[in-house]
Amino acid sequence: MANRFSTERFAQIFTKWREIFVADIGAGRKSVALNAILSLDDFEKKARRHLPGPLFGYIAGASETNASLRNNAQSFTEYAFRTRVLRDVSKRSAKTTLFGRTYDAPIGIAPMGISALMAYRGDIALATGAAEAGIGMIMSGSSLIRLEDVAAAAPHAWFQAYLPGEPDRIDALVDRVANAGFETLVLTVDTAALANRENNIRAGFSTPLRPSLRLAWEGVSHPRWTIGTFLKTIIRHGIPHFENSYATRGAPIIASNVMRDFGKKDHLNWKHLERIRARWNGNLVVKGVLHPDDAAHAVEIGANGIIVSNHGGRQLDATMAPLDALPGIAERVGRDIAVMVDGGFRRGADIVKALALGADFIFVGRPFLYAAAVGGEPGVIKAAEILKTELHRNMALLGVTSLEDISPDYLFRIGPQQHTIPHG
Ligand SMILES: Cc1cc2nc3c(=O)[nH]c(=O)nc-3n(C[C@H](O)[C@H](O)[C@H](O)COP(=O)(O)O)c2cc1C
C-alpha cells in the first residue's frame, strides 16, 4: 500500500496521463503498437499493465487454489510430437467446415462475460475481429452489449446462454436469440452454483463493481483504459448493464447496492435441454462436458456439438483438464456430433495436440480478451493470425497437409499414465 501511494508512483501516473494527452491524443494515435507482440502470452503481459488490477485479476484468475487452471496448462506437456518427414507439405491447409460454415482454421473465441468492460465495445471487437480473421466466436450471455447489436455486426457469431431451471425464462431467451438471427446456441452447463472465486474478492472485483476509493485509484492509475474504454463507453452508451442474461435487461455493471439475478441455475437438468432442443431450430451446443456419459446423453437429446471444458478452471477447482477428457469423449461420440474443446490453449502446437486426440474445433479464451483490451479489433485479428500461422507452420513440421491427417500416431505420451480409480 505504501508503495502504491509513493511520490515516485504519482510521478509515473502523471507521466502516463501526460503521454496520453500529448503523445496519443495529440498525434491522433488510437491503439497500441502490435508489432512487438509475437505470441499470445505477450498480450497477457501488455494487458496486465493496461487494465486496472481487479479487471486483470478477473480475467486471469480461476477458482480456489487454481488447480484446474494448472491442470489445463500441464496437460499439454504430457504429449510430445512424433514427426514425419520428406513429405511434400507445400499444399497444406488448415481450413475446416463446421455446421455448414468454412473457417480458415479450427479455432474460435470462447465466450467471455463483461468483455465490454475490458475493451471498448469488447464483444463487437471480438466478433468482428474473428469474422475478419476467418475464425469462430461465441458471444457470452453475461455480456454488456445487446445480443441483437452483436448479431448485426457479426451475423455468424454464436450465442452462449446461462439458463436457469425456469421454463418461462428459458423459452423467452431462446426466442430472443432466434429472433436476433443467431444460427448456433451454446448452453453452458458447468455453472450449477456460483464458483468460489476468492481471487476476485482479494483483487477487489465483483459484479456489479462496488464504487470505492480503491476502484477510483485503479482508474486514475490506468489512464489509457479509463479514457479509451471506460469513459468512452459511459459517454457514448451510458452505464453498461447485463443485457442478455435473460430476455430482459439485467443489473448495471457499477452499483453500490444492486444484486445480480442469477436465477435457479442449480435446477437446470436434462429435461430443460430437451425443452431447449424442442424450441430451438438452430445448432445446439452443450459447453462444459467432461464425462463421456454426459456427452452421449447430449447426443441422445439431439445436440449438434459439445465443448469439452472446465470453464478455464473457473468453476469446480481440481477438475481434470479438458485435453485429458477429450480422447474418451471423442471415442464415444466423435462420429455423432462435433467435439470441441477449450481450456489453456495458447499455441498452435496445443491445437495440433487436441486435433490429434479427436477434437474438431478448439476455442481459446483469455488471450483474445487481453488482445481486445490492449488492441481492440486489430488486436483480436493479430491474435488470430499468430495462432493460425503457428498451426500452419506446425502442420508442415509435423508432415501433414490437412486437419484430417492429424491422428494420435503423431503424438507420444510422455506424461504420467492415467490411473483407474475403482468405482464404489
Ligand atoms: C474473463 C472470462 C469470462 C468468461 N465468461 C464466460 C461466460 O460468460 N460463459 C461461458 O460459458 N464461459 C465463460 N468463460 C469461460 C470461457 O468460455 C472458456 O471456457 C475458458 O476461458 C477457456 O480457457 P482459456 O481462457 O484458458 O482459454 C469465461 C472465461 C474468462 C477468462
Side-chain angles (χ1 to χ4, degrees):
M1 259 338 221
N3 189 29
R4 184 179 286 177
F5 294 111
S6 67
T7 319
E8 206 179 308
R9 186 84 183 102
F10 273 111
Q12 277 172 1
I13 290 163
F14 176 75
T15 311
K16 272 199 212 168
W17 279 89
R18 200 175 152 277
E19 264 173 33
I20 291 179
F21 281 106
V22 179
D24 290 8
I25 296 176
R29 191 159 54 220
K30 286 201 179 118
S31 61
V32 296
L34 295 171
N35 299 346
I37 302 273
L38 304 178
S39 72
L40 291 199
D41 286 343
D42 291 343
F43 281 112
E44 178 170 349
K45 288 181 205 128
K46 273 206 182 295
R48 186 188 288 274
R49 285 196 299 274
H50 172 77
L51 289 169
L55 301 196
F56 178 80
Y58 166 71
I59 304 175
S63 58
E64 295 186 352
T65 67
N66 285 348
S68 297
L69 183 71
R70 282 193 303 278
N71 284 348
N72 291 1
Q74 173 71 25
S75 63
F76 296 101
T77 66
E78 292 163 6
Y79 295 94
F81 291 120
R82 184 161 62 163
T83 60
R84 301 300 305 272
V85 296
L86 292 175
R87 293 168 163 184
D88 179 352
V89 289
S90 58
K91 295 194 177 56
R92 65 196 177 278
S93 164
K95 279 195 194 303
T96 191
T97 303
L98 178 63
F99 301 149
R101 236 161 246 298
T102 301
Y103 297 91
D104 280 3
I107 301 169
I109 303 178
M112 283 172 288
I114 61 172
S115 298
L117 188 64
M118 314 298 172
Y120 176 68
R121 306 298 275 165
D123 306 275
I124 293 182
L126 288 163
T128 55
E132 182 68 31
I135 65 167
M137 185 272 180
I138 310 176
M139 86 165 285
S140 160
S142 292
S143 43
L144 304 172
I145 297 182
R146 284 168 49 77
L147 60 88
E148 290 80 3
D149 296 347
V150 177
H156 304 304
W158 302 2
F159 182 81
Q160 172 266 324
Y162 281 127
L163 286 169
E166 295 168 75
D168 293 354
R169 289 177 130 181
I170 292 177
D171 293 354
L173 185 66
V174 168
D175 292 350
R176 181 177 166 196
V177 176
N179 288 338
F182 283 93
E183 297 157 353
T184 302
L185 173 65
V186 179
L187 179 69
T188 296
V189 294
D190 54 9
T191 55
L194 287 180
N196 185 9
R197 308 235 179 111
E198 295 166 8
N199 63 303
N200 284 349
I201 301 169
R202 291 185 219 282
F205 180 87
S206 60
T207 56
L209 286 163
R210 308 288 176 207
S212 66
L213 267 182
R214 178 177 179 179
L215 211 55
W217 174 249
E218 287 289 343
V220 171
S221 54
H222 295 86
R224 276 179 221 279
W225 172 83
T226 301
I227 293 175
T229 300
F230 187 66
L231 292 177
K232 195 168 163 186
T233 301
I234 298 218
I235 290 164
R236 293 194 180 168
H237 312 280
I239 296 265
H241 284 61
F242 288 92
E243 298 286 356
N244 311 302
S245 302
Y246 307 113
T248 50
R249 193 175 219 210
I253 189 62
I254 298 190
S256 47
N257 53 9
V258 177
M259 297 303 286
R260 261 179 92 185
D261 171 8
F262 290 100
K264 295 179 181 168
K265 279 192 188 167
D266 54 356
H267 287 51
L268 193 69
N269 62 46
W270 292 103
K271 288 269 167 242
H272 297 114
L273 187 68
E274 282 171 16
R275 185 181 184 97
I276 296 167
R277 179 66 291 180
R279 201 168 182 97
W280 172 257
N281 294 323
N283 308 304
L284 182 60
V285 173
V286 181
K287 174 175 184 280
V289 175
L290 289 175
H291 199 293
D293 289 353
D294 284 342
H297 206 154
V299 172
E300 277 160 28
I301 289 178
N304 305 94
I306 49 160
I307 303 181
V308 182
S309 171
N310 63 5
H311 216 105
R314 298 162 74 85
Q315 284 300 117
L316 178 62
D317 197 26
T319 55
M320 69 191 299
L323 192 78
D324 291 329
L326 179 62
I329 291 180
E331 196 186 351
R332 184 81 169 269
V333 300
R335 277 170 297 275
D336 307 317
I337 51 169
V339 175
M340 298 166 271
V341 62
D342 75 15
F345 290 83
R346 300 293 178 263
R347 290 278 181 182
D350 301 338
I351 288 168
V352 175
K353 288 174 187 176
L355 292 167
L357 294 172
D360 298 306
F361 213 81
I362 289 92
F363 287 94
V364 180
R366 295 176 181 87
F368 277 104
L369 193 47
Y370 296 139
V374 300
E377 186 195 279
V380 175
I381 295 172
K382 171 95 187 191
E385 293 306 331
I386 288 174
L387 262 188
K388 286 195 303 184
T389 306
E390 287 183 356
L391 175 59
H392 210 247
R393 182 191 300 118
N394 289 347
M395 287 175 71
L397 294 174
L398 202 60
V400 297
T401 53
S402 76
L403 302 181
E404 291 73 51
D405 293 346
I406 302 175
S407 71
D409 194 44
Y410 293 89
L411 292 186
F412 176 74
R413 184 152 182 136
I414 52 175
Q417 296 301 313
Q418 286 177 20
H419 298 284
T420 308
I421 302 170
H423 293 276

